[in-house]
Amino acid sequence: MVKRVIEYYIDGSTKDQMIGVGIVKVNEFGFIEKYHFKVEHVNPTSNLAEGYALERTLHMIKENDLHKHEMIDIYTDCQKLHRLFLSNENMEYNRNNYFEKQEANHYYQHIRRLYIELISYFSNYPLFHCEKTNHARPLIKIHFNHDTNQKYHQYAHNLSRHYLKNESVPAPKVEFSAKRKDNTWYIVKDNEEVVAENKRPILALADAIRPLDKQTQIKLCEVLSSFIKNTRQQKIQNSSLKASMSIINQRKYL
């Protein structure tokens, strides 16, 4: 019997302790659906990331596609995943990467069991045939590097790295130091630029801090830190000094 085909294009990536997955699904009616998943891992590798992409795909197939009785093709650009997963081979070991490869082996065996569970569901079903070749094939087939739809591979590749775009941007940092000349205090930013001056160092520092974004982290020299510490211990009466200390106390310091 000739069946229509559902296609999945998958890719995985990793950075630090994060794994990202991109999945592009072309359903039986030609509609394109795009998915991104991310998960943390104690020791992620590219092999585990590619495997996780396949695992998520198998779960999606189980939840959304098995009842349709359509043939399903999965395309990966990871040759190791395709070869080792389908042939159930073990990776070659060496001293440098034994534990990494061993971990991937165990994980691939786990994914293989998921795959067998899905295709076994249809073990008594009539043979499926490919519309193009008319050859018998399993319900779910995994392919390596399908050249005719590279744009979908690129979609999956970009989606797998989507978590990088969502990474929080580190708060900006600035360093202030104080210099005194001719009875005036000068506040120097990042050891380069004078940004404020006043006869009273606290007032000068407040003028330097006021324009900064409230998320900016501030590092002060020992002189300025001492001025702030001593001022906080005093009972302040001067309104200008009170206002300056209010600005200073609202900021983050390294």
Side-chain angles (χ1 to χ4, degrees), residues 19-167:
I19 286 177
V21 165
I23 300 174
V24 176
K25 175 183 178 181
V26 182
N27 75 7
E28 65 272 28
F29 303 111
F31 291 98
I32 300 171
E33 304 168 13
K34 299 177 182 180
Y35 302 90
H36 166 72
F37 303 97
K38 64 179 181 179
V39 66
E40 291 182 279
H41 192 280
V42 294
N43 185 29
T45 65
S46 59
N47 286 330
L48 290 174
E50 299 289 353
Y52 186 65
L54 180 56
E55 180 181 14
R56 289 306 301 246
T57 302
L58 294 177
H59 283 302
M60 290 173 64
I61 291 171
K62 183 176 182 179
E63 293 175 5
N64 304 312
D65 299 320
L66 284 187
H67 68 282
K68 300 175 181 177
H69 303 302
E70 306 287 358
M71 290 190 299
I72 300 170
D73 285 332
I74 302 174
Y75 300 104
T76 175
D77 62 357
C78 178
Q79 189 173 22
K80 286 185 177 180
L81 177 63
H82 180 259
R83 177 174 58 85
L84 298 173
F85 178 78
L86 291 183
S87 61
N88 199 22
E89 295 178 4
N90 287 322
M91 295 184 179
E92 295 181 359
Y93 300 138
N94 58 54
R95 290 184 177 180
N96 294 330
N97 58 13
Y98 174 84
F99 291 105
E100 174 184 325
K101 297 287 183 69
Q102 181 75 333
E103 182 178 20
N105 272 336
H106 293 324
Y107 183 50
Y108 283 171
Q109 295 301 317
H110 163 70
I111 303 172
R112 184 176 176 81
R113 285 192 292 270
L114 296 177
Y115 172 73
I116 293 174
E117 176 186 342
L118 293 184
I119 61 175
S120 296
Y121 183 82
F122 288 92
S123 59
N124 296 323
Y125 203 82
L127 284 176
F128 290 90
H129 286 76
C130 177
E131 186 176 7
K132 295 180 180 179
T133 65
N134 203 33
H135 290 163
R137 51 154 291 169
L139 173 70
I140 305 169
K141 189 172 182 179
I142 302 173
H143 307 266
F144 168 67
N145 197 21
H146 194 245
D147 295 329
T148 58
N149 285 304
Q150 285 298 318
K151 67 177 181 178
Y152 298 140
H153 280 301
Q154 188 62 48
Y155 290 161
H157 174 85
N158 294 339
L159 285 167
S160 74
R161 287 150 179 79
H162 186 69
Y163 67 97
L164 297 175
K165 300 177 183 179
N166 296 332
E167 287 183 337

